[in-house]
Amino acid sequence: MALITFSGYPCSGKSCRAQQLKSHLEDFLQNPSYAGPKLKVQILSDDTLNIERSAYDSSRSEKPARGALFTAAQRQMGQDTILIVDSLNYIKGFRYQMYCAGRELKLRMCTVYVLTPAEMCKRWNEERTDGRKYAPETLDNLIMRYEEPSSMVRWDSPLFTVAWEDADVPAHDIWKAVTEGIVKPPNVGTQSVPKAPTDALRVLESIATQTVSAIMSAQSLAPSLGGPATLSLPSSSSSTLTVRINLPPRNVTLSELQRLKRQFVAVHKKAMVIGTTEKGQVEFGERDVAEKFVQYLEENFKP
């Protein structure tokens, strides 16, 4: 239903803000005035996944840690969940990856930027006694590499900034964003593409060849030139497959039909490799192929 991505310096207070927001969202969901779907609020963080702070000491250990976070986020995203991702999320490319995953599932999304001065983050890190302290050099490195969210880019917007001195998060504005915000359609590149059936090439070649033979037979039997004609084609089912075609006012030669057939097969063979056809539909049944081929011939016959 919604994805809320937290971002900020290490030890900037993100977890505290995430808990504040979770409490507010649960209150809104339990309010008698709420008439929407039944939802649950979940927080996903490095701590819930048991990712140690030392994972950020080197790029070799950080990469699988981010991968574990992203995989867990994908599993928990859903239409019945408001998912709060409480992690550093300091790389804009990673935030974009999360955005694409949420968009594919048609979730509403927003970003919460917890803004805290670097010196205060370092002091809070030193004061930690829960065993979740960053090494000083790691903390300096993460702060230096931090890529600040921007409301000007689609994967960070809408963006809500919470300063360290603010008493609370803008819960009402975030609630409105995750319940009334625009649901963006999935990117074409992220959508699963339907595939052609395994016998599509055989059907394509067979139906096109049979159609060419039927047209040549119809021309040899009909004394008049051109006009509508009914073609009877053999079918794998018990019934005969019939299609109608408008022939030009002249005899269509076999060489012309063979040329158009090769062009038609080549175009649709490419569609099989790509995994899609025009308008994103994959239709390789015998009747579908016959009707498409007849339409293709009518559009490409010379007067």
Side-chain angles (χ1 to χ4, degrees), residues 71 102 104 150 227 259:
T71 301
E104 185 176 354
S150 170
R259 176 177 57 81

Side-chain angles (χ1 to χ4, degrees), residues 73-104:
Q74 283 185 302
R75 285 199 302 265
Q76 296 188 34
M77 289 178 189
Q79 292 300 318
D80 64 340
T81 303
I82 299 177
L83 180 61
I84 300 172
V85 181
D86 168 28
S87 186
L88 294 179
N89 300 319
Y90 70 100
I91 300 174
K92 62 182 178 182
F94 183 71
R95 295 197 298 270
Y96 176 71
Q97 189 178 9
M98 297 278 285
Y99 164 83
C100 289
R103 186 170 174 175
E104 185 176 354

Side-chain angles (χ1 to χ4, degrees), residues 147-284:
E147 296 175 334
E148 185 175 323
S150 170
S151 60
M152 300 299 292
V153 297
R154 61 188 183 279
W155 57 87
D156 287 335
S157 61
L159 177 65
F160 301 95
T161 301
V162 184
W164 79 97
E165 55 194 4
D166 293 344
D168 207 343
V169 295
H172 284 88
D173 293 336
I174 295 174
W175 168 255
K176 187 173 181 180
V178 299
T179 56
E180 301 176 16
I182 298 174
V183 178
K184 296 181 180 180
N187 286 322
V188 174
T190 64
Q191 297 185 69
S192 58
V193 180
K195 299 294 182 181
T198 55
D199 64 341
L201 183 58
R202 179 192 61 79
V203 172
L204 190 67
E205 290 278 3
S206 175
I207 293 297
T209 300
Q210 293 167 12
T211 303
V212 169
S213 299
I215 292 173
M216 296 303 296
S217 297
Q219 287 189 142
S220 64
L221 296 175
S224 59
L225 297 178
T230 300
L231 308 178
S232 297
L233 308 177
S235 174
S236 59
S237 60
S238 56
S239 59
T240 303
L241 179 61
T242 58
V243 291
R244 289 183 62 81
I245 185 172
N246 287 311
L247 296 171
R250 61 177 177 81
N251 271 321
V252 181
T253 64
L254 178 60
S255 61
E256 181 180 359
L257 289 171
Q258 293 284 17
R259 176 177 57 81
L260 293 175
K261 173 202 160 187
R262 287 193 298 272
Q263 293 174 355
F264 176 81
V265 170
V267 168
H268 286 75
K269 190 182 296 185
K270 183 178 180 181
M272 290 181 207
V273 175
I274 297 174
T276 184
T277 59
E278 61 272 20
K279 299 181 182 179
Q281 298 177 346
V282 175
E283 297 175 348
F284 283 101

Side-chain angles (χ1 to χ4, degrees), residues 14-25:
K14 295 185 299 300
S15 296
C16 178
R17 299 301 190 178
Q19 289 293 341
Q20 284 181 331
L21 179 59
K22 182 176 185 289
S23 178
H24 286 303
L25 294 179

